[in-house]
Amino acid sequence: MAGRDLRALFSTNDRQLEAGAAFTNRQGQWQIVQAALGEHLARITSPGFTVEDLEAPRTNVLVVHGVGGIGKTTLSRTLEAALAEAEGRPARWGEPSWPAHPALLPVRIDLARSAGTDFERVLLTIRLALAAHLGRPLPAFDIALRRYWEHQHPGESLEEYLSRGGLAGRFGKALPQQVQSALGDVAQALMLPGSIGGAVGQLTGTLATALRERRQTVRALADCSLLADLLDAEPDIDALSYYPYLLAWELTRIPAEKAVVPVVLLDTFEDTGDRTHRDLERLLQRIVWLMPNAFFIVTGRSRLQWADPALQGQLDYTGPTAWPGLVQQAVPGPRPAGAPGNGRQVLIGDFSQQDCDDYLARRLVRDGQPLISAELRAVITTRSHGLPLYLDLAVLRFMELRRAGHTPAPADFDADFPALITRTLADLTPDERHILRSVSLLDAFDLQLATATAGLPHQAAAARLAERPFVRENPYALWPYHLHALIRSTLRTADDATDDRWTDADWKAAATRALAALGEQWRAAPGPGRRLLVGCLRQGLALARDHRLDLGWLTDAAYAYTDDYVWEPLPLPARTETDDELATPADALAELLSTLARRQHEHRARTADRLTAILDTGLLPAELTEMALYYRAKAHRDLGQSAASRDGMRQVADGEGRLAPDAARGLAHLARAAGDFPTALATAQALGWPGRGQRVLGDIHFAHGNMDQAATAYAAARTEAEQHGNTGEQAIAQAHLALTYAFTDPTRADREITLAGQLLAGLDQRATTLTAQIAALAHDAGTPGPDVDDRAALLRTEITTAGITAAALLLELALTLHHTLHGDDAAARNDTARLDELTRSGDYAYYTDIAHFMTGFPLNNPSPARWIDGQQATCNRWRNLVIARRGHTRRTA
């Protein structure tokens, strides 16, 4: 409970010092809910209460806040169940204190981004709950809602929307019928002829006029003073946010025996925005303000700041007068039942960053000012990870330093508190203590991994440990358990004065067991399991790096990571050493895999430089040195540095290691780049699936304008990839297949481009994504207007940023097709000139030939390309492709 911090007061002679304390528990929170609801019911049933008073302070909101993972959502769900029926109420909470009438109607709404809840859905959820409970129209609101819906969702019925979004399944389908009934009743009262289904605008306009003229025909709605104004307003989202006023008014007209009080539980409120962007929060606040007869329980990571006058202008209703119950308490904490005051901000669990600062600022106060400076509060807040115990210990250290005559500075708190270990371990069994230290080496764990890391023969101790409050659980995570961040870091770095403290050898032995256990989990998993692979790599690399362990299974895992071309990021914690230089094979491997992932977002020159630096360390074993060589050769090829690429590819191919087939494919690509198509074809025919031979064949046929054979080869490459479960290769082959059809058959290309986008979703393949985007541009070739050229300019910038020469050539070739079909010879000549500039080094010089083949421009200086069936045959195919495509464009125009 809130009170005085006696330890702080009795550790100083400063009698002007003010100190506060905080306490929280679930039973107290239920009592707070009971008390708040009781007060609310008494207020709204008193004779002087009216929902049309738009200036009276609002006390209809209760906030439960705390850091993520502390149980706010569980509390919200439990409150919903407890308010709905006695069976859903925990027995220890006891009977509620409010009367049986009016009935309470709990409506829980998850505002998490993952739930996809927008403002429309919030308001519809409240109305649907009332529809299911009351079984009657609420005409003022329903008519306004129908008018809004007709304007904002033309052609989509409310019933269809509710069914598609799952709301009809949750609450039933009564609302559309109730809305229709309300419209019919009003149309009849206004004596409007015919069906009102298609004349909502006429009905609402007539109704607004009738209300302003106070006609007897609409006397049932005449007392709703602002209905006419809302019906006259533009029916946009801003107007919709004022419709809760109509809902509140309708609730007051329900007979006493059927009266209902909605209790709206808004969960995950932090996802409505941040403390700068409050657009959704502003709309939600209007619901709370305009429905003073409803009660709202908000759960989120931070307290509501609505009582802060500084928010004026960001929100409509601000300040302590408007929200007396949300005024910041002296020390953030729950208000126990029966305590004086009307505080409605309940803090549970760990503190949010803002509340850590508030806690420290208000915990020790002298002459009305925080004793702990803002700079010092920021340092303590960062190190605390929101743990109230750390803040408590930090305050004690502050007092100790001050008592010794020392002015506390940030450096004084750049250390862990060993007391955290002592307090954490105090009531654990020896096995639980052993497991706790073991799992502190891991970012996350399950019972099997924790037991193996500890080297224990059974899981019982791990299961008991998982129930402790400092172990957090996410059932949807790869490994469901993780330690509180501060507890974990303290266990690993603080001076341990306990009797069973570990030596350095103990820590290394546990790290060795953890690394082995991760490898066993990865190898034992059924199927490819990219998620498990990446998770094991992240944890395994950190362990091997920080404890200088042998790579072991990490080498195989590194190859598995690169085989699928997916390139998920592999962020690792910062190395414990201050030296930034790579020092161990694990350091080098972590940097290698990180470089391969980052190359999707960096210029290829940066990738080549990073890989060279890794190779220069000599830390990688031979198998992994081959990997760095191969991907550096790929980067050189993308940069147009064919000689360097050829040297690297040949070195890898001659080594006959795991990447030899890939290097052979690289040599085939380089032969094609040089225009040596016979050599490229002979190499491709010998590659098979390991070297992705079908894809290479597709590239060769595409260059020759032989699009049927190219499409067949790419489709075969995609099928092979699917059979081998290689999603990355599927996406690559599909993007090239889409590009092929984009040049020849735009109708078929629609489907192929869509599929390419679906396969690329969730992958991080920059070059392939560019290919798919170029395919979409080629699909639109010949269409009038500046759209294609504008898109091409953006793509050209992105390609330049990436440093991928092949993509730049494809883009200019697609533009050549576009301008040729469009009959813009000047633009087509510019395209050809850009191709000539891009191929000045000699690589891909045949692209300039192809551009001349398509446009029909004279080719005075043909490239030295060795075409498989001769230059003229290739020229004819490309020229015929343009002629056929022009005919397609005319037919579809």
Side-chain angles (χ1 to χ4, degrees):
M1 57 184 296
R4 310 294 289 169
D5 179 3
L6 297 180
R7 287 177 301 171
L9 292 174
F10 278 84
S11 64
T12 177
N13 293 326
D14 188 350
R15 297 280 72 86
Q16 293 181 304
L17 179 69
E18 298 177 19
F23 173 78
T24 182
N25 62 66
R26 294 290 183 269
Q27 182 68 23
Q29 287 141 24
W30 168 245
Q31 293 171 355
I32 291 170
V33 170
Q34 285 194 86
L37 267 172
E39 293 172 11
H40 177 72
L41 292 172
R43 183 178 301 107
I44 66 175
T45 54
S46 63
F49 176 81
T50 172
V51 298
E52 297 195 75
D53 186 347
L54 300 177
E55 298 178 357
R58 295 304 194 249
T59 57
N60 60 330
V61 60
L62 175 69
V63 182
V64 179
H65 62 114
V67 297
I70 204 62
K72 299 182 300 296
T73 293
T74 300
L75 178 61
S76 177
R77 289 172 176 156
T78 305
L79 288 172
E80 178 190 30
L83 294 170
E85 54 187 7
E87 290 78 8
R89 186 171 58 250
R92 65 185 181 278
W93 282 8
E95 293 292 327
S97 56
W98 48 77
H101 294 286
L104 298 180
L105 176 62
V107 187
R108 185 175 175 276
I109 302 172
D110 188 356
L111 298 173
R113 294 187 184 94
S114 58
T117 303
D118 57 13
F119 182 73
E120 281 186 355
R121 191 177 177 91
V122 170
L123 197 51
L124 283 172
T125 299
I126 298 172
R127 177 62 186 95
L128 280 162
L130 289 168
H133 180 84
L134 294 171
R136 56 173 283 173
L138 302 177
F141 178 88
D142 293 346
I143 292 168
L145 173 65
R146 178 63 181 270
R147 178 171 179 262
Y148 169 88
W149 200 262
E150 291 289 327
H151 279 77
Q152 297 299 325
H153 297 266
E156 180 183 29
S157 72
L158 180 59
E159 186 171 5
E160 291 171 348
Y161 175 87
L162 297 176
S163 297
R164 189 180 68 252
L167 290 174
R170 179 180 172 188
F171 296 102
K173 300 182 179 181
L175 179 57
Q177 290 80 5
Q178 292 179 15
V179 171
Q180 194 67 20
S181 175
L183 291 170
D185 291 344
V186 172
Q188 184 177 6
L190 294 171
M191 293 180 289
L192 293 177
S195 171
I196 53 85
V200 175
Q202 178 189 352
L203 184 146
T204 54
T206 305
L207 174 59
T209 301
L211 289 170
R212 294 189 188 282
E213 294 174 357
R214 301 184 180 277
R215 297 181 193 170
Q216 286 298 311
T217 55
V218 291
R219 60 183 179 274
L221 296 173
D223 290 338
C224 188
S225 59
L226 295 176
L227 175 57
D229 299 280
L230 288 172
L231 293 178
D232 282 340
E234 179 68 20
D236 54 17
I237 194 71
D238 193 61
L240 180 68
S241 69
Y242 290 98
Y243 291 2
Y245 166 85
L246 304 176
L247 209 54
W249 182 81
E250 287 284 4
L251 288 175
T252 65
R253 301 174 66 243
I254 297 172
E257 65 274 15
K258 294 184 178 181
V260 62
V261 175
V263 180
V264 183
L265 299 105
L266 299 175
D267 193 24
T268 326
F269 200 83
E270 67 271 13
D271 275 5
T272 61
D274 55 37
R275 297 197 172 189
T276 301
H277 304 91
R278 297 179 181 268
D279 295 337
L280 179 56
E281 184 180 1
R282 183 173 64 254
L283 301 178
L284 293 173
Q285 191 201 54
R286 286 177 186 167
I287 295 181
V288 180
W289 186 269
L290 296 173
M291 295 187 70
N293 50 349
F295 192 77
F296 295 81
I297 301 176
V298 175
T299 46
R301 293 195 176 184
S302 295
R303 62 182 178 85
L304 282 187
Q305 295 179 299
W306 296 353
D308 188 347
L311 290 185
Q312 187 173 10
Q314 292 189 66
L315 299 175
D316 293 346
Y317 313 99
T318 58
T321 301
W323 306 99
L326 302 183
V327 176
Q328 185 174 341
Q329 295 163 283
V331 175
R335 180 177 65 86
N342 56 358
R344 295 289 178 85
Q345 304 256 31
V346 181
L347 177 64
I348 62 171
D350 291 350
F351 289 6
S352 66
Q353 185 173 353
Q354 294 86 354
D355 284 325
C356 283
D357 185 76
D358 288 344
Y359 177 94
L360 293 169
R362 299 174 182 273
R363 174 74 178 274
L364 300 175
V365 177
R366 192 175 191 279
D367 297 330
Q369 296 298 316
L371 199 59
I372 305 177
S373 68
E375 179 186 14
L376 193 52
R377 295 200 305 270
V379 171
I380 296 172
T381 294
T382 300
R383 293 192 59 80
S384 74
H385 292 276
L387 189 68
L389 175 57
Y390 184 94
L391 300 177
D392 186 45
L393 293 171
V395 169
L396 292 179
R397 173 172 286 181
F398 179 92
M399 295 296 295
E400 180 182 356
L401 292 168
R402 190 168 175 266
R403 188 168 59 249
H406 175 72
T407 301
D412 294 319
F413 295 85
D414 190 18
D416 293 303
F417 290 111
L420 282 173
I421 299 179
T422 305
R423 295 192 187 188
T424 302
L425 299 178
D427 61 342
L428 301 183
T429 67
D431 279 354
E432 290 170 354
R433 294 156 74 102
H434 184 70
I435 287 184
L436 177 60
R437 287 192 173 94
S438 299
V439 297
S440 71
L441 294 166
L442 299 166
D443 294 334
F445 58 93
D446 56 19
L447 298 184
Q448 178 184 356
L449 185 57
T451 303
T453 300
L456 295 178
H458 47 76
Q459 293 185 0
R464 292 195 304 271
L465 185 74
E467 297 173 358
R468 296 286 179 168
F470 49 77
V471 177
R472 307 301 167 83
E473 182 178 6
N474 178 1
Y476 304 106
L478 181 59
W479 293 286
Y481 304 112
H482 63 276
L483 291 183
H484 186 285
L486 181 61
I487 297 296
R488 183 187 177 208
S489 66
T490 305
L491 282 166
R492 297 181 65 185
T493 60
D495 293 332
D496 188 346
T498 57
D499 293 338
D500 57 352
R501 62 185 178 275
W502 279 10
T503 65
D504 290 342
D506 292 329
W507 284 107
K508 185 163 186 176
T512 302
R513 291 192 299 267
L515 182 62
L518 287 165
E520 289 174 7
Q521 281 203 359
W522 171 59
R523 293 187 189 280
R530 288 290 300 187
R531 186 168 173 238
L532 179 62
L533 166 66
V534 172
C536 288
L537 264 175
R538 284 175 178 159
Q539 296 220 66
L541 282 170
L543 286 165
R545 182 197 65 187
D546 294 343
H547 298 274
R548 296 178 176 264
L549 306 178
D550 294 335
L551 295 179
W553 61 270
L554 289 171
T555 297
D556 290 338
Y559 272 97
Y561 172 76
T562 60
D563 281 347
D564 284 350
Y565 317 138
V566 177
W567 311 119
E568 304 96 329
L570 283 169
L572 299 181
R575 293 200 297 274
T576 53
E577 296 87 354
T578 56
D579 190 355
D580 289 335
E581 292 184 5
L582 306 181
T584 68
D587 281 337
L589 177 55
E591 181 66 15
L592 170 60
L593 296 181
S594 175
T595 297
L596 298 185
R598 285 184 297 188
R599 73 194 180 104
Q600 306 301 325
H601 307 280
E602 292 182 339
H603 195 281
R604 288 297 196 264
R606 180 63 175 144
T607 300
D609 290 343
R610 289 184 188 276
L611 293 172
T612 297
I614 294 168
L615 287 165
D616 287 347
T617 66
L619 292 170
L620 291 173
E623 279 187 293
L624 293 170
T625 296
E626 173 188 280
M627 182 184 290
L629 282 170
Y630 170 72
Y631 281 100
R632 185 176 67 174
K634 281 194 70 173
H636 285 147
R637 189 187 75 210
D638 289 339
L639 292 166
Q641 300 170 6
S642 294
S645 180
R646 191 173 291 106
D647 288 344
M649 292 293 185
R650 191 161 287 137
Q651 186 176 346
V652 175
D654 291 346
E656 299 182 353
R658 300 194 205 196
L659 290 174
D662 298 86
R665 180 177 71 253
L667 290 171
H669 284 315
L670 289 165
R672 176 170 59 85
D676 187 359
F677 290 108
T679 298
L681 180 62
T683 304
Q685 290 171 336
L687 288 175
W689 161 251
R692 313 300 189 256
Q694 289 291 348
R695 173 154 58 91
V696 180
L697 286 172
D699 293 341
I700 295 170
H701 294 313
F702 181 91
H704 285 75
N706 199 336
M707 297 306 190
D708 289 340
Q709 290 190 38
T712 299
Y714 287 135
R718 183 190 63 194
T719 300
E720 283 185 337
E722 186 176 5
Q723 291 169 347
H724 286 82
N726 192 316
T727 55
E729 177 62 25
Q730 275 184 266
I732 296 171
Q734 179 59 36
H736 283 85
L737 181 62
L739 179 70
T740 301
Y741 280 117
F743 270 79
T744 59
D745 186 353
T747 303
R748 173 69 182 272
D750 276 329
R751 183 166 70 250
E752 305 299 345
I753 291 170
T754 298
L755 179 56
Q758 292 169 351
L759 290 174
L760 279 167
L763 303 184
D764 201 359
Q765 294 184 348
R766 193 174 196 179
T768 307
T769 300
L770 291 171
T771 300
Q773 292 172 333
I774 294 168
L777 187 141
H779 168 274
D780 297 337
T783 57
D787 180 58
V788 171
D789 286 310
D790 291 345
R791 287 156 55 196
L794 294 173
L795 270 174
R796 192 178 289 119
T797 299
E798 188 174 347
I799 290 168
T800 301
T801 301
I804 303 176
T805 302
L809 295 165
L810 282 175
L811 174 62
E812 300 305 334
L813 200 64
L815 279 174
T816 302
L817 175 65
H818 170 63
H819 292 132
T820 301
L821 293 175
H822 204 246
D824 191 341
D825 288 352
R829 290 186 188 279
N830 289 335
D831 301 331
T832 306
R834 280 193 293 270
L835 282 169
D836 191 53
E837 182 66 28
L838 287 167
T839 59
R840 195 169 297 280
S841 67
D843 286 333
Y844 299 104
Y846 62 85
Y847 268 85
T848 305
D849 296 356
I850 294 173
H852 283 83
F853 298 160
M854 285 197 295
T855 60
F857 298 154
L859 181 60
N860 299 322
N861 298 302
S863 73
R866 297 171 58 206
W867 301 102
I868 292 173
D869 54 356
Q871 175 182 307
Q872 190 58 48
T874 303
C875 175
N876 291 340
R877 281 191 292 269
W878 279 104
R879 188 61 191 156
N880 290 336
L881 181 154
V882 172
I883 293 170
R885 180 67 186 275
R886 185 174 284 132
H888 178 277
T889 302
R890 288 171 180 164
R891 288 193 301 273
T892 57

